[in-house]
């Protein structure tokens, strides 16, 4: 399994292909429905440095606050990515992201955005909230916690060998398109 | 009845069990699926991670999935027990379980977008009460995640696109379409709760109630038993696989209930439950004795 350090260069990202297993280490940020809408309403300068050349994780964690004011992720699997389809390609372009982690895959607009900007879609195992929380040893800081609430806030996190599968690459490849195409053929067969 | 006025901690424990301990019947189905997948492929690896996660969640008593879902609850009670008192205690238990991190604060004010922060809100948890003749209270709960809820579907037959008429062949065509449309987005491999008939309110409730059934059981109605078995087989032939990575394990079970319908209506209602098919049940008798049913 390949290891990938974050932040990462466009050159490194372009080497990845659909089906590759990758373990991520370094800094990333979470963001989901409310965050994507907010990121496109304006240019959010304060979060920009935390997004450039790293990845955004579609995740609404369960979070514990420690006595010293720091936070720990208690459960942190991916949420369904397709809801961010209207925004994702533009968010990648505006904030210089090199990738997106989520589940379920994304659509044509995102796939085109990945190719244009040099980024990948990384599939984490949906529901594997403990295995993935274990790979998140540190919560560095949080944006918009009061406004968005715990699941929707943007959490800056440190990850250590965070396991993902490349399911959409920067060359137009999409595992989701392949599986959907094949399953459609089989459905038509069953419904003849 | 005083014994039923002190149930908050029992309900918190019910929630903890559901959120952190995947029932054995679901684990067995996942293990069976893993054994059938191609070794070292993406599907097998996904199921391996899922099973590792289930074990880890149980061992540290932490949520299996961060989306701890909507608690959907069916409560049977004897005559004379206050359903309002039971509901108030269940809401309290949801708030406490949220504080203890067995639940995520999962209720969002739809108009303002603010999270209530407590886990409870308008319509969350969702409670059904039924009086019965037995001298005990029985509580059965599922935790229904949002990603899989989004891929649920309701068809009205006839459906010309699917060539689905008002019969069980039409039901079959609608359900297979729902499985195809869901792809991996509902966290496959999923469990389908299906309702044939009913209206747009009763049918979704009935489809969710099917999820209380064990993964392996036999529908008492022979033609539905046959359809369940066929849909499980054919759903898995679609090749969507765990997480939509492709593979043999797309569904763990299909459970079908039936309600009568209006002459004008023929609904096929599909609730998609993710692999994290979280359910728990408890019985509290008139002496206050608590028995865990799962």
């Amino acid at each position: 399994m390949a290891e990938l350090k974050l932040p990462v260069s466009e050159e490194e990202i372009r080497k990845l292909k659909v089906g590759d297993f990758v373990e991520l280490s370094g800094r990333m940020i979470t963001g989901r429905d409310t965050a994507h809408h907010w990121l496109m309403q304006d240019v959010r300068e304060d979060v920009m440095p935390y997004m450039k050349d790293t990845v955004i994780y579609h995740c609404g964690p369960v979070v514990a606050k420690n006595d010293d004011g720091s936070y720990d992720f208690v459960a942190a699997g991916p949420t369904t990515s397709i809801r961010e389809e209207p925004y994702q390609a533009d968010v990648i372009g505006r904030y210089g992201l090199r990738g997106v982690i989520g589940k379920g895959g994304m659509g044509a607009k995102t796939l085109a955005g990945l190719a244009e900007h040099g980024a990948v879609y990384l599939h984490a195992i949906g529901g594997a909230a403990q295995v993935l929380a274990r790979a998140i040893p540190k919560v560095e800081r949080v944006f918009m916690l009061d406004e968005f609430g715990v699941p929707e806030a943007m959490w800056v996190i440190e990850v250590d060998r965070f396991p993902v599968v490349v399911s959409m690459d920067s060359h137009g490849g999409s595992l989701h398109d392949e599986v959907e195409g094949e399953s459609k053929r089989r459905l038509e067969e069953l419904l003849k | 009845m005083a014994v039923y006025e002190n149930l908050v901690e029992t309900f918190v424990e019910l929630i903890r069990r559901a959120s952190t301990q995947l029932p054995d019947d679901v684990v067995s189905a996942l293990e069976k699926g893993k054994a059938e997948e191609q070794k070292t492929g993406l599907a097998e690896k996904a199921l391996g991670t899922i099973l590792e996660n289930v074990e880890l969640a149980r061992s540290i008593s932490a949520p299996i999935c961060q989306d701890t879902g909507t608690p959907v609850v069916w409560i049977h009670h004897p005559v004379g027990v206050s359903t309002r008192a039971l509901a108030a205690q269940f809401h309290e238990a949801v708030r406490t379980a949220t504080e203890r991190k067995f639940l995520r604060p999962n209720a969002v004010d739809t108009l303002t977008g603010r999270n209530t922060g407590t886990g409870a809100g308008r319509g969350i948890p969702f409670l059904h009460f039924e009086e019965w003749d037995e001298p005990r209270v029985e509580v059965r709960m599922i935790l229904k995640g949002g990603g899989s809820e989004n891929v649920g579907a309701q068809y009205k037959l006839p459906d010309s696109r699917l060539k689905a008429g008002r019969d069980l062949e039409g039901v079959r065509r609608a359900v297979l379409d729902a499985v195809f449309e869901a792809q991996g987005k509902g966290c496959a491999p999923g469990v389908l709760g299906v309702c044939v008939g009913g209206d747009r309110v009763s049918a979704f409730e009935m489809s969710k109630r099917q999820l209380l059934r064990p993964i392996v059981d036999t529908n008492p109605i022979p033609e539905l038993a046959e359809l369940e078995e066929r849909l499980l087989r054919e759903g898995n032939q679609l090749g969507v696989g765990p997480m939509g990575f492709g593979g043999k394990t797309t569904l763990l079970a299909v459970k079908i209930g039936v309600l009568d319908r209006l002459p004008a209506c023929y609904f096929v209602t599909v609730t998609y439950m993710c692999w994290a098919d979280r359910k728990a049940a408890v019985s509290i008798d008139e002496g206050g004795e608590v028995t865990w049913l799962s």
Side-chain angles (χ1 to χ4, degrees), chain A residues 60 77 126-127 130 134 190-191, chain B residues 52-53 63-64 66 104 172-173:
Chain A
Q130 291 310 319
R134 199 173 47 176
L190 286 167
L191 296 190
Chain B
E52 183 191 349
N53 186 72
I64 295 162
Q66 78 291 337
R104 184 174 69 180
R172 171 183 164 263
R173 299 176 84 86

Side-chain angles (χ1 to χ4, degrees), chain A residues 1 19 21 32 60-64 74-80 82-83 103-104 123-132 134 146-151 165 175-176 179-180 182-184 186-187 190-192, chain B residues 40-42 45-46 49-50 52-53 56-57 60 62-68 101 103-106 113-115 147 150 162 172-173 176-177 180 183-187 234 237-240 243-246 275:
Chain A
M1 186 175 301
F21 292 105
R32 46 180 291 169
V62 178
V63 182
V74 174
T79 191
T80 309
I82 195 67
R83 296 190 305 270
K103 71 173 174 85
H123 202 300
I125 301 300
Q130 291 310 319
V131 166
L132 296 171
R134 199 173 47 176
D146 291 342
E147 295 84 350
F148 296 171
V150 169
V165 174
L175 177 65
H176 309 286
V179 171
E180 185 167 337
E182 176 61 17
S183 60
K184 188 170 181 59
R186 296 189 192 181
L187 178 71
L190 286 167
L191 296 190
K192 259 208 269 200
Chain B
T40 75
L42 287 178
K45 188 152 176 57
T49 303
I50 284 169
E52 183 191 349
N53 186 72
L56 184 58
I60 63 175
I64 295 162
C65 177
Q66 78 291 337
D67 180 3
T68 56
K101 313 298 174 195
L103 297 178
R104 184 174 69 180
N106 233 8
R114 302 285 291 203
N115 194 304
N150 279 337
L162 297 170
R172 171 183 164 263
R173 299 176 84 86
L176 285 174
D177 183 69
F180 166 76
Q183 290 291 309
K185 295 179 186 67
C187 275
E234 292 184 337
Q237 285 169 6
L238 292 177
V240 171
M243 290 297 125
F245 288 168
W275 67 258

